[in-house]
Amino acid sequence: MTKTFFATPTDFKFRKGLAELHRKRAPLYIRTRALWYAGTMALLFGSALAYPSKFVAFAPILIFAITALYFGAGFAWRRQMFAGFQSAPYRLANTRFTLAEDGYSEESALHSMTFRWNAFIAADQTNEGIALLLADIECLAIPKTAFKDAGEMAETLTVIKAYIAASRG
């Protein structure tokens, strides 16, 4: 059974969709890495107080600066990456998404991609649409605007999961 949908890929907001997938699929130690980093900073600060030196007054400023650089640089890099990806020319073209027994394909005036079902590790529904995971941090997406309603999206997700499971043998 072949299903065909039409949408603009930019309708799937990757930053929001991947953040939701990350919350669902990432291990606890990855989701809480900010707490691990804060704990390391607290230990560093505590050791500066426990072993006083002439730099103890400077330690809180250094710790704050390191933390701000770590999170600030990561935030700026991720924001720039997602903005660039979201506005790529091929993502602005109206695209045909096709699901068939032999695989998944996308086609527009600017690009054409085809993947066999065994290339995907999983499929998951987000608030932005359906994400077809090629790896834990890489996915292709079908925007929610391609579907008439939530029922059709849920049905399509069930079909995709069945295709992926059948490809695994």
Side-chain angles (χ1 to χ4, degrees):
M1 173 174 89
T2 301
K3 289 183 165 229
T4 303
F5 307 98
F6 294 92
T8 303
T10 53
D11 293 342
F12 187 98
K13 306 294 185 238
F14 263 89
R15 193 168 81 190
K16 291 179 183 177
L18 289 179
E20 186 176 341
L21 284 174
H22 187 269
R23 282 191 301 273
K24 288 180 182 179
R25 300 182 59 86
L28 182 64
Y29 73 92
I30 294 293
R31 289 182 303 203
T32 57
R33 69 183 177 267
L35 294 175
W36 287 101
Y37 188 76
T40 303
M41 290 289 102
L43 285 174
L44 180 61
F45 182 68
S47 67
L49 293 177
Y51 304 106
S53 70
K54 60 184 177 181
F55 297 108
V56 170
F58 183 67
I61 296 168
L62 179 65
I63 291 168
F64 178 76
I66 290 169
T67 305
L69 283 173
Y70 175 78
F71 288 109
F75 176 74
W77 176 78
R78 280 192 310 275
R79 188 170 183 181
Q80 183 180 14
M81 179 186 67
F82 282 121
F85 183 74
Q86 194 71 19
S87 62
Y90 86 91
R91 291 190 42 78
L92 301 172
N94 197 23
T95 303
R96 181 179 69 205
F97 302 92
T98 305
L99 310 173
E101 291 178 10
D102 61 339
Y104 165 85
S105 64
E106 283 184 23
E107 188 175 349
S108 75
L110 299 176
H111 79 287
S112 177
M113 294 191 288
T114 301
F115 288 89
R116 301 275 182 227
W117 289 115
N118 57 0
F120 299 104
I121 61 169
D124 209 343
Q125 184 172 342
T126 70
N127 289 333
E128 298 297 317
I130 294 177
L132 303 166
L133 282 84
L134 293 163
D136 285 335
I137 58 169
E138 182 180 2
C139 71
L140 299 173
I142 304 173
K144 65 183 175 186
T145 56
F147 306 102
K148 294 178 187 131
D149 57 15
E152 184 182 19
M153 187 161 61
E155 176 189 325
T156 302
L157 181 62
T158 304
V159 169
I160 290 170
K161 286 183 176 182
Y163 283 149
I164 293 171
S167 74
R168 301 271 180 234

